[in-house]
Amino acid sequence: MTYHQRRRYPYYNRIRRLLPLVFAVSLALLVLFAFLSFLAPPPGDSDRLPSRFRHTSINIGANDAIKSASFRVPRDGGRSDRDIWRSRNAEFFYGCSNASSKFSNAKAVTRSDRYLAIATSGGLNQQRTGIVDAVVAARILNATLVVPKLDQKSYWKDASDFSHIFDVDWFMSFLSEDVRIIKQLPQKGGKPWSPSRMRVPRKCNERCYINRVLPVLHKRHAVQLNKFDYRLSNKLSDDLQKLRCRVNYHALKFTDPILTMGNELVRRMRLRSNHFIALHLRFEPDMLAFSGCYYGGGDKERRELAAIRRRWKTLHINNPDKQRRQGRCPLTPEEVGLMLRALGYGSDVHIYVASGEVYGGEESLAPLKALFPHFYSKDTIATKEELEPFSSFSSRMAALDFLVCDESDVFVTNNNGNMAKILAGRRRYFGHKPTVRPNAKKLYRLFMNKENTTWEEFTSRVRSFQRGFMGEPKEVRAGRGEFHENPSTCICEDTEAKAKAQIESRKLGKKNKSMSKDTVTNDDQSEEDEPDWSEPDYEEEQSDLQDRGLYNGTSLDYDDPSTSDEPELEEMLSD
């Protein structure tokens, strides 16, 4: 054995003796690390939101898992490129509905032998459209209008008449120069006068009324139009459109008890915060069943909604994925919350929620409440005793929500129903107060893949998709959609003030990018992005089926249904 070999021998000997010790220490550290990993929460769990309506894949790859961990919803809204509480350049636009000099006074055109009565249909907001259009129909026919009858027979079973909801004397006096209005038909031969009853098609124009209704008025002198909702064309002369606006935005005033309670609800929201959002949340079981949409609730959801769907005997089964792709599914409460956070609204924002029964109850609302813990409704900011005069009447309760939503700094909807449309139009008319309508066709794809992106990417895309859906001036082309939602004829632009502001901006050396960018008609918005104006409301079909004896269910929703016309249900659903 050489000298070098003798030296290496004890060295290797020592190494062999240390190996068991190193192995034991390594094993102990491994066990300790495993124990700590077991106790620690998964990465990002504190930022995730529980929801039964989550559209995530069960098999997530390694890369997707890494991306998913980066989708963490912040508590604040982050930096925004706009004022989240007001519309850009709204100060240059205002409501204008005065009649032109060519529009004759009612006394000069009203025929003494023509009386028009109408029977509205549906809930509060749908009936409102009927009342507005009835005034215009009476003007077209040069007839005296009888104060409209409200629908008391639908499944809301609300016994309220016109004077319980609206100030009837104000209604009659405000419109006295446009249309002669009386509270009831005069007697005929000392007996109550029973008018001839008829219906007109949906979207009936001036010529339609003259050809269909006027001959009957000539013969019978008194006509009642039944199922009167959306029975007037969106395309009318400017003076008739402005009359629509005078009725909708000025003549229809709620009664003093409703106004007092509604204003008190608004005051209490203002005491809590300088600004607040009002959310009209449509997520009732009946509505989801009718829509044919699927929200990730598994077999339980499919069974529950299928059972409700069987109430509609002729309702065909829709493809849930196709419904979502076409933007026909209302956003879930969680999706609404994520959209608002991405638009810049932090967890400190106060939200007033107007809603019927929510499918899934508190479990469905939990993600939204986690994002916005300052969560209120009329039932939480008013006592049962205060609401008692209204609680037995669905239209009066709906009127309270209508007032709060109208007075809110930002109005948000997850649907394109009657209340959403009417409030959108009203808020445009009175200063373009921000009104957020989801771009459901594009947001759908984003929500489906949110776990595979970062929050920053998600926010950027939401803000991009929502351009043109925020209630800003000239966001929707004139004449596009329902007139109740886009009363373009009644909105004027102060071009002088706008030009002056641009000059002042240049003098100060400031570059006002938004002035040239955001007051331009949104012509670059693709057909795919625009709301589905033609889609029939679920309440339309419900009301129509009930009339035909095909619907035997009840609804807790107080929002407005509408009634469909003569076409069969399958034809209307394919529109």
Side-chain angles (χ1 to χ4, degrees), residues 44 86 148 186 191 206 263 304 330 392 470 482 503 518 550 563:
R86 63 185 298 275
K191 298 180 180 179
E206 292 179 64
N263 291 335
E304 290 173 346
S392 299
M470 304 294 287
E482 296 285 353
I503 293 171
D518 295 299
L550 297 177
T563 53

Side-chain angles (χ1 to χ4, degrees), residues 65 162 222 258 282 313 386 533:
F162 189 99
I258 291 174
R282 297 299 312 278
K313 305 298 183 184
E386 288 175 315
W533 306 105

Side-chain angles (χ1 to χ4, degrees), residues 82 96 121 127 155 219 226 299 385 485 507 521 530:
R82 64 184 184 89
C96 52
S121 181
Q127 291 184 93
Y155 48 80
K219 185 177 181 179
N226 292 329
D299 291 338
E385 290 72 25
E485 179 170 11
K507 283 181 179 178
T521 304
E530 294 187 359

Side-chain angles (χ1 to χ4, degrees), residues 92 495 497-507 510 512 515-516 519:
F92 304 123
T495 53
K498 180 181 173 183
K500 184 178 178 181
Q502 288 175 325
I503 293 171
E504 290 296 324
S505 178
R506 290 193 205 99
K507 283 181 179 178
K510 294 180 180 178
N512 194 339
M515 195 160 293
S516 61
T519 59

Side-chain angles (χ1 to χ4, degrees), residues 10-260:
Y11 173 77
Y12 288 128
N13 219 14
R14 286 196 298 271
I15 291 296
R16 282 198 298 272
R17 287 197 297 270
L18 286 173
L19 280 176
L21 180 61
V22 171
F23 178 80
V25 171
S26 300
L27 183 62
L29 289 172
L30 186 62
V31 171
L32 179 62
F33 179 79
F35 180 71
L36 292 174
S37 298
F38 176 79
L39 293 179
D45 263 14
S46 60
D47 296 314
R48 295 187 182 281
L49 302 167
S51 176
R52 63 180 299 185
F53 304 108
R54 196 175 297 284
H55 296 273
T56 53
S57 173
I58 295 174
N59 300 313
I60 301 177
N63 291 335
D64 287 341
I66 294 171
K67 289 183 179 180
S68 176
S70 66
F71 187 82
R72 301 185 182 184
V73 184
R75 289 186 59 80
D76 62 52
R79 294 182 61 184
S80 180
D81 58 351
R82 64 184 184 89
D83 184 342
I84 62 175
W85 297 112
R86 63 185 298 275
S87 295
R88 291 186 178 104
N89 303 313
E91 64 271 23
F92 304 123
F93 297 84
Y94 58 95
C96 52
S97 58
N98 290 336
S100 73
S101 58
K102 299 178 181 178
F103 198 67
S104 303
N105 188 284
K107 292 180 180 178
V109 298
T110 303
R111 297 287 297 269
S112 60
D113 60 345
R114 297 179 189 173
Y115 295 94
L116 180 68
I118 68 156
T120 61
S121 181
L124 174 67
N125 295 291
Q126 183 182 332
Q127 291 184 93
R128 189 183 188 108
T129 66
I131 295 167
V132 170
D133 291 350
V135 174
V136 180
R139 175 71 193 209
I140 292 171
L141 297 166
N142 294 328
T144 295
L145 177 69
V146 182
V147 169
K149 295 179 181 179
L150 299 191
D151 184 356
Q152 299 176 340
K153 297 181 179 179
S154 65
Y155 48 80
W156 286 273
K157 306 298 181 186
D158 190 328
S160 302
D161 61 29
F162 189 99
S163 62
H164 291 129
I165 307 295
F166 302 105
D167 186 331
V168 64
D169 293 325
W170 171 263
F171 177 75
M172 294 171 64
S173 63
F174 188 90
L175 296 170
S176 59
E177 294 186 2
D178 299 309
V179 175
R180 180 172 177 255
I181 304 175
I182 58 176
K183 291 186 178 180
Q184 58 186 15
L185 275 172
Q187 289 191 337
K188 187 177 183 181
K191 298 180 180 179
W193 192 352
S194 180
S196 297
R197 289 169 169 77
M198 62 181 295
R199 291 177 68 177
V200 292
R202 294 172 72 86
K203 312 301 183 185
C204 196
N205 58 24
E206 292 179 64
R207 181 175 293 181
C208 171
Y209 277 92
I210 291 170
N211 290 340
R212 288 174 179 253
V213 183
L214 191 56
V216 183
L217 267 178
H218 276 309
K219 185 177 181 179
R220 303 290 186 180
H221 304 297
V223 169
Q224 176 172 304
L225 302 179
N226 292 329
K227 296 290 180 184
F228 200 80
D229 55 354
Y230 296 102
R231 304 287 157 174
L232 189 62
S233 171
N234 280 324
K235 297 179 180 180
L236 300 171
S237 68
D238 284 358
D239 266 324
L240 291 180
Q241 297 288 49
K242 287 181 180 291
L243 175 56
R244 258 179 166 168
C245 295
R246 290 197 293 280
V247 181
N248 201 3
Y249 307 131
H250 299 285
L252 280 178
K253 186 172 75 171
F254 290 122
T255 59
D256 286 342
I258 291 174
L259 283 174
T260 300

Side-chain angles (χ1 to χ4, degrees), residues 451-470:
E451 301 295 345
N452 300 327
T453 187
T454 65
W455 175 253
E456 290 72 21
E457 292 169 335
F458 179 84
T459 297
S460 175
R461 295 181 71 185
V462 167
R463 294 180 182 182
S464 174
F465 294 161
Q466 282 301 119
R467 291 194 190 108
F469 292 79
M470 304 294 287

